Amino acid sequence: MEKLASFTVKYKWHIVIAVTVITLFFGYNLKNLKVDSNIIDSLPQDDPTVKLFKEVGKEFGGNQLGMIILQSDNVCSKQSLESINKIIDTLSNIKGINGITGLTNMVVLNADGDVFNVGKLIESFPDNEREADSLKNIVVKNKMVSGNIISKDGTVTAIIFAFNENDDINKVAGQVMKKIEELHIPEKYYFAGTPFLTKYVDLVIKQDLIKLIPLAFIVISLVLFLSFRSFKGVVLPILTAGLAILWAMGSFGLMGLKLSMVSNNVPIIILAVGSAYAIHVLNRIFQCDEKDPDKVVKKALKHMFVPVTLSALTTVSGFLSFIFGSYLVMIRDFGILAALGTFFAMILALTLVPALMDIFPEKPRNPDKNIKTKFQKYILTPLNKLVVKHSGRVIAVWGLLFLTSIAGIFMLKRSVSVSGYFKKNHPANIADRLMADKLGGSKPVFVIFKGDMQDPELLKTMKAAEEYMLKSPYINTAQSIADVVENMNKAVTGNDTIPDSKEMIQQLWFLFEQNESINRLVTPDLKKGIILAKFNDNGNYGIDKFEKYMNDWFSKHKNKDFSIEITGMPFVNAKLDKSLLKSQTGSLIIATIMVFILVSLMFKSIGKGVLSTIPIIVTVAILYGIMGWTGIPLDVVTVLVASVAIGIGIDYSIHFISHYDGEIKKHKNIKQAVANTMHISGNAILINFLSVSMGFLVLAFSEFVPIVYFGILIALSMLGSSMGALTLLPSIILLKNKNAKDE
């Protein structure tokens, strides 16, 4: 430690120059930073669910369905139908879009005696309201479109289309939104489907970065100013965190990694967490009574090297746990980015901050005239009296909170519905509700049949599977090539069934094989076909029940001549949901073990390792309890809370125990050691808590609901872990040593 302190003082200008050069290097590499908010890309690409889902996209012109929802009093009015036509024409001219289906281009088979022809569902537009009502009554009775393309009350309709698998779906979705907005159609319209949700997430990420990072800087700067009453006390922690963010983001871009809906909040995490290390170093420098700047820096670094390094490494361990304990790529990337930023913040706090404080030393101040006296008078001194007089009661209160929280943990819920991640007034959320309430849902389900698609037995099985699906409460609409063959057979022969002979099916096939929409249901080589359905669980997580429901049917209808599989976004979400539990459990266990080992090694004591982790374990339990009692779900963002809380929250215990060890060696008096620790480290802990928690509370202004919850929960965890370090920890120390004789 002394060598590091001497090195910093001796080479202070070299440190400043080196930091400048590194900053320019990483700043240049920010140009490589990109955003990827696609949920599917977060799952391992060799995952069977993902592979099957992507196979559907390649074979059937895209598995990613987009929907433009039109809402009016009567979508069969002339004005609405003209708007639908404009939308379809616009979509037709956008590269990367195919299989467009809407009310004005849907085709049906018309029979006039022995003459059969394929015509449009709506041949001509109504001229007045009476004709529009008449047309609506006819259209909503058509079972092929009712509840699927048009709502049963005729007030909502959807133009459905597919995104090409090989195109940049996020870019195409953006083009669609821009082109449709330029039409200025009079009806209300919304964009639905995973590609548009992904685009909305992408937009929110960029908006949050622009809005929240400056706000976090302002809030933390204000807290630091009120805490230190010093220009350097504001600038240096902010500078340290800002450089750490830039270095981490530059490294991220250099490695070819991308920001996601999870990692986009890392800059604020680094800002809040990274500034804490500089705060502790500065607090110690300001506490020094030496007048020589060199001696001040050396003395402060000697005391702070171990606790700051240990605090940072435990926080890094919390973030690294996501790399080893998570199944999701986006969470692994979050762990990498956050770990890099934390590590860089530590390096800068132990080198750049003391170097600048030596170059521009602080004038000696009377510590009784600053804000720390208020912390001591109104918070730290009362807390010290509380733990000394009532240590047993303090422990009992924490125990009661812990037990109450355990009950809340059993009420925890999970959520992987991306549309639910937006606030209720957001267009993505409105669109999803309209699709669920009026048009059978927005999440596509594909049942894939592999075999001869002109085989009567296969088509009959496909039709039976479709009918079985429609008996499920989660499926309101479904269609397949079997429906087309059956409807064609009825028009030709009057029999509403699949023909028994392959030759008859081939004859019927000739009548509709030129129809472009058929390519969405069967491959050109006629070796694969799908049932295309829409899943709707009305916000209840029913995919597990539906999957079992379908698998039971598949197991009873196995056939050596063809195979049946099922996939779709609900199944991808189900995989995501299961991985949340896996990620949570794995990262939490790894984070706890890594933090415990690091603390035990650094303090050279297993007992101190256990003591340090007690407050944070209790805090995490309380955090989960709050989530359970309040209904905050476990999702792709809140799944990070526990491990982040462990990594960051353990810092308070480390600083308290580290300072207490020094005081007990000096005074040999337990109560005096606790009081002095409260006075000095407690001050830094409170400043740290305020700056970190206020930084995270900035996330409450995000447009993304999981980010809002994340910010609030981390702020609460900081409150719990800081108060645990200042009350539970000293209470345990005092109770444990109540029979010890003070010298």
Side-chain angles (χ1 to χ4, degrees), residues 142-206:
N142 188 316
K143 64 179 182 179
M144 292 291 291
V145 297
S146 184
N148 180 24
I149 298 295
I150 184 173
S151 62
K152 293 181 180 179
D153 61 3
T155 60
V156 176
T157 187
I159 297 95
I160 303 174
F161 47 94
F163 288 80
N164 291 341
E165 182 72 17
N166 297 324
D167 287 292
D168 185 339
I169 292 176
N170 193 44
K171 182 179 179 181
V172 175
Q175 290 176 347
V176 170
M177 295 172 78
K178 183 175 182 293
K179 293 291 185 182
I180 299 304
E181 286 166 5
E182 289 173 353
L183 293 177
H184 300 294
I185 60 176
E187 293 82 8
K188 289 183 180 178
Y189 64 91
Y190 303 94
F191 300 98
T194 302
F196 292 116
L197 287 177
T198 302
K199 185 62 184 178
Y200 277 129
V201 170
D202 182 54
L203 293 172
V204 167
I205 288 173
K206 292 174 180 176

Side-chain angles (χ1 to χ4, degrees), residues 35 115 130 144 166 184 213 269 353 467 481 553 595 675 714 717 736:
V35 175
V115 178
R130 182 180 58 78
M144 292 291 291
N166 297 324
H184 300 294
I213 291 179
I269 292 176
V353 170
E467 291 172 349
I481 194 66
W553 191 90
V595 165
I714 292 294
S717 77
K736 180 183 175 183

Side-chain angles (χ1 to χ4, degrees), residues 502-677:
K502 183 175 181 178
E503 289 74 19
M504 182 60 184
I505 292 174
Q506 290 174 332
Q507 291 177 23
L508 294 173
W509 208 280
F510 178 76
L511 296 174
F512 60 74
E513 65 180 348
Q514 300 302 319
N515 189 343
E516 184 183 344
S517 62
I518 298 303
N519 295 330
R520 295 282 301 127
L521 302 174
V522 64
T523 55
D525 62 3
L526 307 184
K527 296 297 183 184
K528 295 177 185 177
I530 58 171
I531 299 174
L532 175 57
K534 285 189 289 186
F535 183 83
N536 183 14
D537 58 0
N538 291 314
N540 301 313
Y541 201 74
I543 187 60
D544 287 337
K545 292 179 182 178
F546 178 70
E547 186 173 18
K548 183 180 183 305
Y549 176 79
M550 292 306 300
N551 285 334
D552 287 345
W553 191 90
F554 294 154
S555 64
K556 296 175 184 176
H557 293 80
K558 290 182 179 179
N559 192 296
K560 61 182 179 62
D561 294 327
F562 54 85
S563 64
I564 314 174
E565 294 177 285
I566 191 167
T567 187
M569 276 310 298
F571 296 93
V572 172
N573 285 342
K575 177 67 71 172
L576 187 64
D577 178 63
K578 291 180 177 67
S579 68
L580 284 181
L581 286 179
K582 185 177 179 181
S583 297
Q584 178 69 97
T585 305
S587 60
L588 191 55
I589 291 172
I590 292 171
T592 304
I593 293 173
M594 290 175 71
V595 165
F596 170 73
I597 291 174
L598 275 172
V599 175
S600 299
L601 288 174
M602 292 288 280
F603 282 133
K604 297 179 181 179
S605 168
I606 293 177
K608 289 177 182 176
V610 172
L611 189 62
S612 298
T613 54
I614 287 175
I616 195 60
I617 289 173
V618 173
T619 297
V620 169
I622 292 173
L623 208 57
Y624 278 136
I626 290 172
M627 291 176 69
W629 285 110
T630 60
I632 296 175
L634 199 65
D635 55 41
V636 292
V637 179
T638 57
V639 72
L640 308 171
V641 167
S643 295
V644 173
I646 288 176
I648 300 174
I650 195 71
D651 294 4
Y652 302 129
S653 295
I654 290 170
H655 283 287
F656 191 95
I657 292 175
S658 178
H659 195 107
Y660 171 80
D661 280 353
E663 291 291 337
I664 199 69
K665 289 175 184 176
K666 188 190 301 183
H667 298 289
K668 306 296 183 183
N669 183 300
I670 294 170
K671 291 181 180 179
Q672 184 63 45
V674 168
N676 289 350
T677 302

Side-chain angles (χ1 to χ4, degrees), residues 4 91 103 126 147 171 219 256 364 407 421 437 470 493 497 512 556 587 701 714:
L4 174 66
L91 292 173
L103 283 180
K171 182 179 179 181
V219 169
Y421 293 169
D437 297 340
L470 290 169
T493 68
T497 60
F512 60 74
K556 296 175 184 176
S587 60
F701 294 97
I714 292 294

Side-chain angles (χ1 to χ4, degrees), residues 194-269:
T194 302
F196 292 116
L197 287 177
T198 302
K199 185 62 184 178
Y200 277 129
V201 170
D202 182 54
L203 293 172
V204 167
I205 288 173
K206 292 174 180 176
Q207 290 168 2
D208 277 0
L209 286 173
I210 294 170
K211 177 178 69 175
L212 299 183
I213 291 179
L215 182 59
F217 270 101
I218 293 170
V219 169
I220 292 177
S221 297
L222 181 61
V223 171
L224 292 173
F225 176 75
L226 293 174
S227 301
F228 285 125
R229 298 286 181 175
S230 162
F231 176 75
K232 296 185 188 71
V234 175
V235 172
L236 293 185
I238 292 296
L239 176 64
T240 300
L243 291 177
I245 292 170
L246 192 149
W247 289 16
M249 301 283 272
S251 301
F252 212 56
L254 193 62
M255 290 186 287
L257 301 177
K258 299 177 181 178
L259 291 177
S260 68
M261 69 173 75
V262 176
S263 57
N264 78 297
N265 64 344
V266 169
I268 293 176
I269 292 176

